[in-house]
Amino acid sequence: MRTAPHEIPVRGLAAPLREDESALRRDHRPYAVKRLFLRWQQYYVRRFLRPQFDALGRGHHFMRPWYVELFGSPIALGRYATVIASADARVRFCVWPDQEGEGLIRIGDYSLICPGVRISSACRVTIGHSVMMANRVYLTDSDWHDLYDRTAAGRGAPIRIGNNVWLGDSAIVCKGVTIGDNSVIGAGAVVTRDVPDYGVAYGSPARVRGWICNCGLGLEFGNSGRGATASCSCGRSYSRDGQAITPL
């Protein structure tokens, strides 16, 4: 019987398995070692990280937690958060208030924090639920140094990030900024102004360049005037009044 072209054996290599044989292939990957590694990570979080959080929700998952650094308080992380850190891109949460009673980092449920994320607070940084922060995102609510007197603390203003927001790679969110629900911030953006709900902003400084549906597809409005509407293929519809987007 002739052999199919993709089944011709190559010298030094084993012949490919047939479809009915592939299910019998033995997996030699060391899962026991993997389980031990995961248990060590969980122990590290319980022993060294949890005491530094003022609140740490259940269901969290830290990858290489020894590269996560916390300084100051209060710092709170919600339920089912995933935090990924690495040796060359540590995750840092820092609260360093200039006045007593200020300084706060609060992150909601189901967040994703990628390597290199830094959050620094002298006033208040509040992040909603289901927020994804890509590699090397930086949030800071203060200048940290006065423009003229470098020994004085700079001015600060709270940052608020809504629900279901995606902050792209290396995006910077500056003091006093509010980013609305269901928004997307492009990679490398420097956000110095508020971004409304459903906005897509990018550039330096970042500007709102488009709109996005709750399902993740783009929205096209016929005009920017009052009463403009857009419909998404998912079935949702929206109306636009300037920079305000309202689901119908």
Side-chain angles (χ1 to χ4, degrees):
M1 183 176 72
R2 297 185 62 183
T3 304
H6 64 279
E7 295 180 349
I8 297 176
V10 180
R11 180 174 296 180
L13 297 177
L17 295 176
R18 298 194 306 270
E19 184 177 354
D20 58 337
E21 295 177 333
S22 60
L24 303 178
R25 179 184 294 177
R26 184 174 180 179
D27 193 337
H28 295 278
R29 289 178 292 182
Y31 281 121
V33 176
K34 180 68 172 181
R35 285 195 295 269
L36 288 174
F37 181 73
L38 294 176
R39 289 179 181 177
W40 164 242
Q41 289 189 145
Q42 295 168 359
Y43 169 78
Y44 188 96
V45 172
R46 291 195 305 270
R47 180 65 176 83
F48 298 105
L49 286 187
R50 180 184 288 275
Q52 300 183 63
F53 282 99
D54 289 80
L56 180 59
R58 68 176 185 270
H60 54 265
H61 179 58
F62 287 80
M63 298 178 64
R64 290 174 172 77
W66 37 89
Y67 297 127
V68 177
E69 300 176 356
L70 284 78
F71 179 84
S73 67
I75 301 174
L77 183 62
R79 301 172 302 164
Y80 305 106
T82 299
V83 182
I84 308 169
S86 63
D88 62 337
R90 296 171 181 262
V91 172
R92 291 184 172 95
F93 302 141
C94 175
V95 174
W96 194 349
D98 180 47
Q99 299 180 6
E100 186 176 355
E102 295 187 351
L104 166 71
I105 297 175
R106 179 180 292 128
I107 304 172
D109 302 338
Y110 305 102
S111 58
L112 172 62
I113 302 170
C114 292
V117 168
R118 295 180 297 150
I119 303 177
S120 301
S121 173
C123 297
R124 177 182 294 265
V125 176
T126 306
I127 299 173
H129 303 309
S130 303
V131 172
M132 181 166 58
M133 289 170 272
N135 289 37
R136 303 186 187 280
V137 163
Y138 180 40
L139 285 75
T140 177
D141 63 7
S142 174
D143 295 331
W144 299 109
H145 295 281
D146 185 76
L147 184 60
Y148 300 103
D149 182 3
R150 305 300 171 85
T151 64
R155 298 179 179 178
I159 290 175
R160 191 189 77 82
I161 311 295
N163 299 321
N164 194 33
V165 173
W166 177 13
L167 303 177
D169 194 297
S170 302
I172 298 175
V173 181
C174 300
K175 64 178 183 179
V177 167
T178 295
I179 298 178
D181 297 344
N182 307 304
S183 299
V184 176
I185 307 300
V190 179
V191 187
T192 59
R193 299 181 180 180
D194 292 352
V195 176
D197 296 349
Y198 305 101
V200 178
Y202 52 89
S204 178
R207 296 289 184 268
V208 177
R209 315 283 183 170
W211 307 96
I212 191 169
C213 176
N214 194 38
C215 72
L217 297 178
L219 295 173
E220 295 290 340
F221 289 92
N223 59 75
S224 59
R226 180 185 297 271
T229 60
S231 297
C232 181
S233 58
C234 71
R236 296 181 176 91
S237 297
Y238 301 84
S239 65
R240 177 182 177 185
D241 182 7
Q243 295 288 309
I245 303 298
T246 304
L248 298 177

